[in-house]
Amino acid sequence: MSAKLSIRNVAKRFSGQDHQVNALSSVSFDVQAGEFLVLVGPSGCGKSTLLSIIAGLEKADSGEVLVDGIPVTRPGPDRALVFQDGALFPWLNVRKNVEFGLRQKGVTAGEASDRAIHFLEQVGLAKFAENALYTLSGGMRQRVAIARVLSLEPEVLLMDEPFSALDAITREDLYVEVQELWQNRGATIVFVTHNVREAVTLGDRVILLASDPGRIQLEVPVDILRPRHIDDVDVARTAQLLSQSMRQGRENILQEVWNDEQFTENDLLRGFDRLMGDYRQ
Amino acid sequence: MLFPSPYRVGSTLIQEFRDGSLLNATAISLRRVLLGYSISLVIGVPLGIVLARVKFVEDTLGSLVSAFQSLPSICWLPLALLWFGLNDRAILFVVVAGSLVSIAIAVQDGVKNLSPTYVRAALTMGTPSWRIYTHVLLPASLPSILTGAKLGWGYAWRALMSGELLFVSLGLGQMLMQGRELADMSQVLSVMAVIMGLGLLTDRLIFGSLERHVRRRWGLAGA
Ligand SMILES: Nc1ncnc2c1ncn2[C@@H]1O[C@H](COP(=O)(O)OP(=O)(O)O)[C@@H](O)[C@H]1O
Ligand SMILES: [Mg+2]
């Protein structure tokens, strides 16, 4: 099976007045159709830059992004993006925000309105359709942002830290909802976060990014049964392991441990011992 | 006598109101300012947006616009008189010259400070780039358009009054000058009161409530 989305040797530099930032240096990975992929890494490691390149909002210095084998050249509704702050339009009410993209696609007003209501129902907000945005809480606004993007029925759904501005309780509700939406719709999702637990809660696979230069540090499959909750024991343990390797930055040793499917607590400890040994040298 | 009593100013006001001279002058001045101001808005708002978004336009027109802003609008009057002669169009020109540039600059500032995510979000939803102007930048910058509109209204009104004071024409400005010529202090003061009253009314009633509404909707309340 060929990949839905391919990132091939993508590199990007930004030059400031006195220094250069290596935001991404030769990043490559594939995302399969229907996969829920999470990119996790400390802030400044190039996550947003990578999503912007996939979305077509920014150009890579080198390398390319392919959707179904076709190179991405500009932004489009097949790769809709959910922003951290929602980026909803305050001059439109809830329903018209969801309609916006549909209208741009040329869907007629009546049809767009029906579809907007349908997707607002999916996120539990149909009865707020005629509300002004400022009457909604942060969590409700992010749901609107998700409905707006789902209504475009994108090939790939891109999400850039969509929940990081929300309180913990709202966030946990949304973890459940997003997993349900994803399972029901069979969407392909690329989700970005700096929160390792969030990554493990949501992803089929987690790619850990390291910064300066932005690059892939570690890639791990997550096989924990769904629906997952952020305080499931398995989630917590896997997340802890990932955080450790993020801090220590010695990807190879941990990758070995991960690849050994039967790993035990002892293997892990041995792995970390070797890691620490490396450090002391 | 330096000041007439408030009572005399009041009765002059009532009398001017009764004989229609005040309403007439107010109507003439308002019509002029509204016409000039509308022209300024219709040109100034798009100009501001384009100045903020199109580098070429900013490079070429930007400093010219800033230079014009430092010119008090009444300085345009001699030129306007040469171009149009002693008529309404000269006055109109001065009003437009006084408000257009300040509107454009306020809108330009506002658009420059817009969060780029609005445009980015619209682009990812497949909005063609020309439609970004009408469907995103224009509504998104409504708060700064209002700021510009309010500023521009003040400038337009002042430009009109200085124009009307300086050359014979109907309107409130001329009524003021007439008061001076007749050495009628209470006429002067009554007309000044009307001008202030109109200013206060538009500021509070129109711009004040519009601004409150927009700021709340745009999530800027209290900011
Ligand atoms: N437009 C830009 N100009 C200059 N530097 C930028 C720009 N965008 C991002 N960067 C830099 O690139 C690096 C990666 O940024 P970003 O992708 O936003 O990281 P993340 O989303 O992981 O926090 C950071 O060091 C950031 O300062
Ligand atoms: Mg980011």
Side-chain angles (χ1 to χ4, degrees):
Chain A
M1 187 171 68
S2 73
K4 181 89 217 166
L5 179 70
S6 289
I7 317 301
R8 300 264 169 81
N9 304 314
V10 165
K12 178 86 183 175
R13 269 168 189 278
F14 291 107
S15 22
Q17 280 133 338
D18 48 353
H19 69 297
Q20 284 205 328
V21 183
N22 240 335
L24 295 167
S25 83
S26 196
V27 171
S28 300
F29 59 88
D30 282 354
V31 187
Q32 302 304 324
E35 188 178 9
F36 198 140
L37 176 76
V38 180
L39 300 168
V40 64
S43 75
C45 72
K47 305 183 295 291
S48 295
T49 305
L50 184 54
L51 272 198
S52 298
I53 291 171
I54 298 174
L57 290 168
E58 268 179 75
K59 292 222 180 316
D61 295 340
S62 60
E64 59 181 354
V65 174
L66 309 171
V67 177
D68 289 325
I70 299 161
V72 163
T73 54
R74 58 196 173 100
D78 58 321
R79 282 155 286 121
L81 178 56
V82 180
F83 296 81
Q84 175 171 348
D85 62 356
L88 295 168
F89 301 145
W91 56 92
L92 300 175
N93 70 18
V94 169
R95 175 173 52 83
K96 291 197 167 138
N97 262 285
V98 180
E99 282 175 22
F100 186 91
L102 293 167
R103 299 286 288 141
Q104 298 307 314
K105 264 186 164 179
V107 176
T108 61
E111 165 95 37
S113 170
D114 290 347
R115 279 211 242 168
I117 299 289
H118 168 76
F119 283 97
L120 282 169
E121 264 162 19
Q122 302 252 304
V123 296
L125 288 179
K127 66 169 182 282
F128 296 96
E130 303 305 320
N131 276 43
L133 281 180
Y134 73 88
T135 63
L136 269 55
S137 69
M140 290 156 91
R141 272 183 237 181
Q142 263 338 46
R143 287 193 179 90
V144 176
I146 290 170
R148 173 170 85 168
V149 160
L150 286 178
S151 75
L152 298 171
E153 297 176 332
E155 305 269 322
V156 183
L157 181 50
L158 307 171
M159 305 178 93
D160 191 356
E161 310 209 25
F163 307 145
S164 60
L166 305 177
D167 64 88
I169 295 171
T170 310
R171 227 183 297 163
E172 280 168 39
D173 290 343
L174 281 164
Y175 294 150
V176 176
E177 287 176 33
V178 162
Q179 290 181 74
E180 275 172 7
L181 282 170
W182 167 72
Q183 280 177 320
N184 296 340
R185 311 191 67 79
T188 308
I189 299 183
V190 180
F191 187 105
V192 154
T193 178
H194 62 257
N195 181 332
V196 177
R197 276 220 184 184
E198 181 170 296
V200 175
T201 306
L202 296 175
D204 285 332
R205 185 159 56 111
V206 173
I207 291 182
L208 197 65
L209 294 173
S211 51
D212 203 21
R215 64 196 185 278
I216 294 180
Q217 186 182 1
L218 182 67
E219 194 182 314
V220 294
V222 183
D223 296 328
I224 303 165
L225 215 64
R226 292 185 193 267
R228 302 174 193 152
H229 287 271
I230 194 144
D231 22 60
D232 289 348
V233 181
D234 289 338
V235 170
R237 278 186 41 188
T238 310
Q240 198 184 5
L241 190 62
L242 265 172
S243 314
Q244 302 248 25
S245 67
M246 191 156 120
R247 274 197 292 279
Q248 317 215 330
R250 287 292 193 276
E251 54 274 18
N252 317 346
I253 296 165
L254 274 157
Q255 187 80 63
E256 265 174 47
V257 178
W258 275 107
N259 289 345
D260 178 5
E261 299 236 332
Q262 297 333 124
F263 70 80
T264 64
E265 208 81 12
N266 275 343
D267 293 329
L268 278 181
L269 288 176
R270 245 196 341 265
F272 282 123
D273 277 350
R274 279 173 61 193
L275 235 165
M276 296 319 286
D278 264 21
Y279 248 79
R280 281 185 215 106
Q281 281 176 11
Chain B
M1 188 167 64
L2 227 50
F3 278 109
S5 70
Y7 172 77
R8 272 204 54 196
V9 176
S11 62
T12 311
L13 250 178
I14 289 169
Q15 186 216 319
E16 286 164 348
F17 190 78
R18 283 225 178 102
D19 69 19
S21 59
L22 189 61
L23 283 183
N24 214 7
T26 307
I28 288 173
S29 289
L30 274 181
R31 213 196 45 191
R32 282 181 183 144
V33 79
L34 282 176
L35 188 58
Y37 179 63
S38 310
I39 295 174
S40 289
L41 275 181
V42 167
I43 303 175
V45 170
L47 178 63
I49 296 179
V50 171
L51 273 171
R53 295 290 299 185
V54 186
K55 182 118 184 31
F56 169 75
V57 177
E58 193 187 7
D59 288 345
T60 49
L61 283 184
S63 41
L64 197 65
V65 169
S66 311
F68 280 172
Q69 199 198 16
S70 64
L71 194 66
S73 51
I74 199 61
C75 299
W76 287 100
L77 187 64
L79 193 63
L81 291 176
L82 288 176
W83 276 343
F84 302 109
L86 272 168
N87 60 31
D88 252 26
R89 273 192 292 171
I91 286 270
L92 198 64
F93 182 83
V94 172
V95 171
V96 173
S99 53
L100 192 153
V101 168
S102 57
I103 292 173
I105 287 180
V107 172
Q108 179 189 15
D109 273 357
V111 172
K112 282 213 148 159
N113 291 324
L114 273 184
S115 152
T117 49
Y118 289 143
V119 172
R120 290 162 64 89
L123 286 173
T124 60
M125 289 188 283
T127 313
S129 43
W130 61 269
R131 223 187 278 154
I132 294 281
Y133 281 86
T134 51
H135 286 60
V136 181
L137 292 171
L138 187 69
S141 52
L142 205 56
S144 39
I145 290 176
L146 261 182
T147 309
K150 189 172 156 183
L151 214 70
W153 175 258
Y155 278 115
W157 189 240
R158 274 171 236 184
L160 177 72
M161 286 305 128
S162 20
E164 286 185 347
L165 279 173
L166 278 183
F167 84 92
V168 180
S169 68
L170 306 163
L172 287 169
Q174 201 210 349
M175 220 171 146
L176 257 181
M177 280 315 259
Q178 211 177 43
R180 196 210 69 150
E181 278 148 22
L182 302 173
D184 184 348
M185 186 97 59
S186 59
Q187 177 171 346
V188 170
L189 285 175
S190 65
V191 175
M192 282 172 70
V194 168
I195 293 171
M196 282 192 287
L198 282 172
L200 207 64
L201 216 66
T202 46
D203 213 60
R204 289 288 154 83
L205 249 58
I206 299 174
F207 290 112
S209 60
L210 268 177
E211 252 180 344
R212 258 195 312 282
H213 173 75
V214 165
R215 290 184 71 78
R216 194 175 55 175
R217 233 192 130 110
W218 266 240
L220 301 166

Short mmCIF file of all heavy atoms in Angstrom, two decimals, chain B residues 114-154:
data_model
loop_
_atom_site.label_atom_id
_atom_site.label_comp_id
_atom_site.label_asym_id
_atom_site.label_seq_id
_atom_site.Cartn_x
_atom_site.Cartn_y
_atom_site.Cartn_z
N LEU B 114 -2.90 42.62 12.18
CA LEU B 114 -3.82 41.48 12.22
C LEU B 114 -3.04 40.19 12.47
O LEU B 114 -1.94 40.02 11.96
CB LEU B 114 -4.52 41.34 10.88
CG LEU B 114 -5.80 42.11 10.65
CD1 LEU B 114 -6.37 41.74 9.29
CD2 LEU B 114 -6.81 41.80 11.74
N SER B 115 -3.65 39.30 13.23
CA SER B 115 -3.05 37.99 13.40
C SER B 115 -3.02 37.28 12.04
O SER B 115 -4.03 37.21 11.36
CB SER B 115 -3.88 37.18 14.39
OG SER B 115 -3.75 35.82 14.11
N PRO B 116 -1.85 36.77 11.63
CA PRO B 116 -1.77 36.13 10.31
C PRO B 116 -2.60 34.85 10.22
O PRO B 116 -2.84 34.36 9.13
CB PRO B 116 -0.28 35.84 10.13
CG PRO B 116 0.30 35.89 11.50
CD PRO B 116 -0.55 36.79 12.31
N THR B 117 -3.06 34.33 11.35
CA THR B 117 -3.78 33.05 11.26
C THR B 117 -5.11 33.18 10.52
O THR B 117 -5.57 32.21 9.95
CB THR B 117 -4.06 32.42 12.64
OG1 THR B 117 -4.61 33.39 13.49
CG2 THR B 117 -2.83 31.81 13.23
N TYR B 118 -5.73 34.37 10.53
CA TYR B 118 -6.98 34.50 9.77
C TYR B 118 -6.73 34.18 8.29
O TYR B 118 -7.46 33.42 7.68
CB TYR B 118 -7.53 35.92 9.88
CG TYR B 118 -8.09 36.29 11.23
CD1 TYR B 118 -7.91 37.57 11.75
CD2 TYR B 118 -8.80 35.38 11.98
CE1 TYR B 118 -8.43 37.92 12.98
CE2 TYR B 118 -9.32 35.72 13.21
CZ TYR B 118 -9.13 36.99 13.71
OH TYR B 118 -9.65 37.34 14.93
N VAL B 119 -5.69 34.81 7.76
CA VAL B 119 -5.39 34.61 6.35
C VAL B 119 -4.96 33.17 6.10
O VAL B 119 -5.39 32.53 5.14
CB VAL B 119 -4.29 35.60 5.89
CG1 VAL B 119 -3.83 35.26 4.48
CG2 VAL B 119 -4.82 37.02 5.95
N ARG B 120 -4.13 32.65 7.01
CA ARG B 120 -3.67 31.27 6.83
C ARG B 120 -4.83 30.30 6.87
O ARG B 120 -4.91 29.37 6.05
CB ARG B 120 -2.63 30.92 7.91
CG ARG B 120 -1.30 31.68 7.70
CD ARG B 120 -0.46 31.69 8.96
NE ARG B 120 -0.02 30.37 9.38
CZ ARG B 120 1.10 29.79 8.98
NH1 ARG B 120 1.88 30.42 8.13
NH2 ARG B 120 1.43 28.61 9.41
N ALA B 121 -5.74 30.52 7.81
CA ALA B 121 -6.91 29.63 7.90
C ALA B 121 -7.72 29.69 6.62
O ALA B 121 -8.12 28.66 6.07
CB ALA B 121 -7.77 30.01 9.10
N ALA B 122 -7.95 30.91 6.12
CA ALA B 122 -8.75 31.05 4.90
C ALA B 122 -8.06 30.36 3.72
O ALA B 122 -8.70 29.70 2.91
CB ALA B 122 -8.99 32.52 4.60
N LEU B 123 -6.73 30.50 3.64
CA LEU B 123 -6.00 29.87 2.54
C LEU B 123 -6.12 28.35 2.60
O LEU B 123 -6.33 27.70 1.58
CB LEU B 123 -4.52 30.27 2.57
CG LEU B 123 -4.19 31.70 2.13
CD1 LEU B 123 -2.72 32.00 2.38
CD2 LEU B 123 -4.53 31.90 0.66
N THR B 124 -6.01 27.78 3.81
CA THR B 124 -6.11 26.31 3.89
C THR B 124 -7.53 25.84 3.58
O THR B 124 -7.72 24.67 3.29
CB THR B 124 -5.72 25.77 5.28
OG1 THR B 124 -6.60 26.33 6.25
CG2 THR B 124 -4.30 26.08 5.64
N MET B 125 -8.50 26.72 3.68
CA MET B 125 -9.86 26.32 3.29
C MET B 125 -10.13 26.58 1.82
O MET B 125 -11.28 26.52 1.38
CB MET B 125 -10.89 27.03 4.18
CG MET B 125 -10.86 26.51 5.60
SD MET B 125 -12.20 27.17 6.60
CE MET B 125 -11.60 28.79 6.96
N GLY B 126 -9.08 26.91 1.08
CA GLY B 126 -9.22 27.02 -0.37
C GLY B 126 -9.69 28.37 -0.86
O GLY B 126 -10.18 28.48 -1.99
N THR B 127 -9.56 29.42 -0.05
CA THR B 127 -9.96 30.75 -0.50
C THR B 127 -8.93 31.28 -1.50
O THR B 127 -7.75 31.31 -1.20
CB THR B 127 -10.01 31.71 0.69
OG1 THR B 127 -10.72 31.08 1.75
CG2 THR B 127 -10.71 33.01 0.33
N PRO B 128 -9.38 31.69 -2.69
CA PRO B 128 -8.42 32.27 -3.64
C PRO B 128 -7.88 33.61 -3.10
O PRO B 128 -8.57 34.30 -2.35
CB PRO B 128 -9.24 32.50 -4.90
CG PRO B 128 -10.66 32.36 -4.51
CD PRO B 128 -10.73 31.62 -3.23
N SER B 129 -6.65 33.96 -3.49
CA SER B 129 -6.00 35.06 -2.80
C SER B 129 -6.69 36.40 -2.99
O SER B 129 -6.68 37.23 -2.10
CB SER B 129 -4.52 35.13 -3.17
OG SER B 129 -4.37 34.95 -4.54
N TRP B 130 -7.35 36.62 -4.12
CA TRP B 130 -8.04 37.91 -4.27
C TRP B 130 -9.23 38.01 -3.32
O TRP B 130 -9.58 39.07 -2.82
CB TRP B 130 -8.48 38.14 -5.72
CG TRP B 130 -9.43 37.11 -6.25
CD1 TRP B 130 -9.09 35.96 -6.91
CD2 TRP B 130 -10.85 37.11 -6.14
NE1 TRP B 130 -10.22 35.25 -7.20
CE2 TRP B 130 -11.31 35.93 -6.76
CE3 TRP B 130 -11.78 37.99 -5.58
CZ2 TRP B 130 -12.67 35.59 -6.84
CZ3 TRP B 130 -13.14 37.65 -5.66
CH2 TRP B 130 -13.57 36.47 -6.28
N ARG B 131 -9.85 36.85 -3.05
CA ARG B 131 -11.02 36.89 -2.19
C ARG B 131 -10.64 37.06 -0.71
O ARG B 131 -11.48 37.37 0.12
CB ARG B 131 -11.85 35.63 -2.38
CG ARG B 131 -13.34 35.96 -2.44
CD ARG B 131 -14.19 34.71 -2.46
NE ARG B 131 -14.31 34.12 -3.78
CZ ARG B 131 -14.56 32.82 -3.98
NH1 ARG B 131 -14.68 32.01 -2.95
NH2 ARG B 131 -14.66 32.35 -5.19
N ILE B 132 -9.34 36.83 -0.42
CA ILE B 132 -8.85 37.09 0.94
C ILE B 132 -9.13 38.54 1.32
O ILE B 132 -9.47 38.84 2.45
CB ILE B 132 -7.33 36.80 1.01
CG1 ILE B 132 -7.05 35.31 0.80
CG2 ILE B 132 -6.73 37.30 2.32
CD1 ILE B 132 -7.30 34.45 1.98
N TYR B 133 -8.99 39.43 0.34
CA TYR B 133 -9.19 40.86 0.64
C TYR B 133 -10.63 41.14 1.10
O TYR B 133 -10.85 41.79 2.10
CB TYR B 133 -8.88 41.72 -0.60
CG TYR B 133 -7.40 41.91 -0.80
CD1 TYR B 133 -6.65 40.98 -1.50
CD2 TYR B 133 -6.76 43.02 -0.28
CE1 TYR B 133 -5.29 41.14 -1.66
CE2 TYR B 133 -5.40 43.20 -0.44
CZ TYR B 133 -4.67 42.26 -1.13
OH TYR B 133 -3.32 42.42 -1.28
N THR B 134 -11.58 40.64 0.33
CA THR B 134 -12.97 40.98 0.63
C THR B 134 -13.56 40.12 1.75
O THR B 134 -14.37 40.60 2.52
CB THR B 134 -13.84 40.79 -0.63
OG1 THR B 134 -13.57 39.49 -1.15
CG2 THR B 134 -13.52 41.85 -1.66
N HIS B 135 -13.14 38.86 1.84
CA HIS B 135 -13.78 37.96 2.79
C HIS B 135 -13.03 37.81 4.10
O HIS B 135 -13.57 37.25 5.06
CB HIS B 135 -13.98 36.58 2.16
CG HIS B 135 -15.09 36.56 1.15
ND1 HIS B 135 -15.07 37.35 0.02
CD2 HIS B 135 -16.25 35.89 1.12
CE1 HIS B 135 -16.17 37.13 -0.67
NE2 HIS B 135 -16.91 36.26 -0.02
N VAL B 136 -11.77 38.24 4.14
CA VAL B 136 -11.01 38.08 5.38
C VAL B 136 -10.46 39.42 5.87
O VAL B 136 -10.79 39.88 6.95
CB VAL B 136 -9.86 37.06 5.21
CG1 VAL B 136 -9.11 36.89 6.52
CG2 VAL B 136 -10.42 35.72 4.76
N LEU B 137 -9.61 40.06 5.06
CA LEU B 137 -8.94 41.27 5.53
C LEU B 137 -9.93 42.39 5.85
O LEU B 137 -9.81 43.05 6.88
CB LEU B 137 -7.92 41.75 4.49
CG LEU B 137 -6.73 40.82 4.31
CD1 LEU B 137 -5.89 41.25 3.13
CD2 LEU B 137 -5.89 40.80 5.58
N LEU B 138 -10.90 42.57 4.99
CA LEU B 138 -11.86 43.66 5.22
C LEU B 138 -12.65 43.45 6.52
O LEU B 138 -12.63 44.30 7.40
CB LEU B 138 -12.78 43.81 4.00
CG LEU B 138 -13.71 45.02 4.03
CD1 LEU B 138 -12.92 46.31 3.89
CD2 LEU B 138 -14.74 44.93 2.91
N PRO B 139 -13.33 42.31 6.68
CA PRO B 139 -14.05 42.14 7.95
C PRO B 139 -13.12 42.03 9.16
O PRO B 139 -13.45 42.54 10.22
CB PRO B 139 -14.85 40.85 7.74
CG PRO B 139 -14.21 40.14 6.61
CD PRO B 139 -13.60 41.19 5.74
N ALA B 140 -11.97 41.39 8.98
CA ALA B 140 -11.08 41.21 10.13
C ALA B 140 -10.59 42.55 10.66
O ALA B 140 -10.35 42.72 11.85
CB ALA B 140 -9.89 40.33 9.77
N SER B 141 -10.44 43.52 9.76
CA SER B 141 -9.89 44.79 10.21
C SER B 141 -10.98 45.79 10.57
O SER B 141 -10.70 46.97 10.75
CB SER B 141 -8.93 45.36 9.15
OG SER B 141 -9.55 45.39 7.90
N LEU B 142 -12.20 45.33 10.70
CA LEU B 142 -13.29 46.24 11.06
C LEU B 142 -13.01 47.09 12.31
O LEU B 142 -13.30 48.29 12.32
CB LEU B 142 -14.60 45.47 11.23
CG LEU B 142 -15.86 46.30 11.00
CD1 LEU B 142 -15.87 46.96 9.64
CD2 LEU B 142 -17.11 45.46 11.17
N PRO B 143 -12.42 46.50 13.36
CA PRO B 143 -12.12 47.37 14.52
C PRO B 143 -11.21 48.54 14.16
O PRO B 143 -11.46 49.67 14.58
CB PRO B 143 -11.43 46.42 15.51
CG PRO B 143 -11.94 45.07 15.15
CD PRO B 143 -12.14 45.09 13.67
N SER B 144 -10.18 48.29 13.35
CA SER B 144 -9.31 49.41 13.00
C SER B 144 -9.95 50.31 11.95
O SER B 144 -9.67 51.51 11.90
CB SER B 144 -7.94 48.94 12.55
OG SER B 144 -8.03 47.80 11.78
N ILE B 145 -10.83 49.74 11.14
CA ILE B 145 -11.57 50.60 10.21
C ILE B 145 -12.42 51.59 11.00
O ILE B 145 -12.49 52.78 10.67
CB ILE B 145 -12.45 49.75 9.26
CG1 ILE B 145 -11.56 48.98 8.29
CG2 ILE B 145 -13.43 50.64 8.50
CD1 ILE B 145 -12.30 48.05 7.37
N LEU B 146 -13.03 51.11 12.07
CA LEU B 146 -13.83 51.99 12.92
C LEU B 146 -12.98 53.08 13.56
O LEU B 146 -13.38 54.24 13.61
CB LEU B 146 -14.51 51.18 14.01
CG LEU B 146 -15.96 50.82 13.75
CD1 LEU B 146 -16.53 50.07 14.94
CD2 LEU B 146 -16.78 52.08 13.50
N THR B 147 -11.81 52.68 14.05
CA THR B 147 -10.90 53.68 14.61
C THR B 147 -10.58 54.74 13.57
O THR B 147 -10.62 55.94 13.85
CB THR B 147 -9.58 53.02 15.06
OG1 THR B 147 -9.91 51.90 15.89
CG2 THR B 147 -8.70 53.98 15.81
N GLY B 148 -10.25 54.27 12.37
CA GLY B 148 -9.94 55.20 11.28
C GLY B 148 -11.14 56.06 10.94
O GLY B 148 -11.01 57.27 10.70
N ALA B 149 -12.32 55.45 10.94
CA ALA B 149 -13.53 56.19 10.57
C ALA B 149 -13.81 57.30 11.58
O ALA B 149 -14.18 58.41 11.22
CB ALA B 149 -14.72 55.23 10.49
N LYS B 150 -13.58 56.97 12.84
CA LYS B 150 -13.83 57.95 13.90
C LYS B 150 -12.83 59.12 13.78
O LYS B 150 -13.21 60.29 13.83
CB LYS B 150 -13.66 57.24 15.24
CG LYS B 150 -14.08 58.04 16.42
CD LYS B 150 -14.05 57.15 17.65
CE LYS B 150 -13.90 57.96 18.90
NZ LYS B 150 -13.80 57.11 20.09
N LEU B 151 -11.58 58.75 13.60
CA LEU B 151 -10.54 59.75 13.41
C LEU B 151 -10.85 60.61 12.19
O LEU B 151 -10.78 61.85 12.22
CB LEU B 151 -9.23 59.00 13.18
CG LEU B 151 -7.95 59.61 13.69
CD1 LEU B 151 -7.96 59.55 15.21
CD2 LEU B 151 -6.77 58.80 13.15
N GLY B 152 -11.19 59.93 11.10
CA GLY B 152 -11.46 60.62 9.84
C GLY B 152 -12.65 61.56 9.97
O GLY B 152 -12.66 62.65 9.38
N TRP B 153 -13.66 61.15 10.73
CA TRP B 153 -14.82 62.01 10.94
C TRP B 153 -14.40 63.31 11.61
O TRP B 153 -14.79 64.40 11.19
CB TRP B 153 -15.87 61.29 11.78
CG TRP B 153 -17.03 62.16 12.13
CD1 TRP B 153 -17.25 62.76 13.32
CD2 TRP B 153 -18.11 62.56 11.27
NE1 TRP B 153 -18.40 63.51 13.28
CE2 TRP B 153 -18.95 63.40 12.03
CE3 TRP B 153 -18.44 62.29 9.94
CZ2 TRP B 153 -20.11 63.98 11.50
CZ3 TRP B 153 -19.59 62.86 9.42
CH2 TRP B 153 -20.41 63.69 10.18
N GLY B 154 -13.58 63.21 12.62
CA GLY B 154 -13.09 64.40 13.31
C GLY B 154 -12.34 65.33 12.37
O GLY B 154 -12.59 66.53 12.33
#
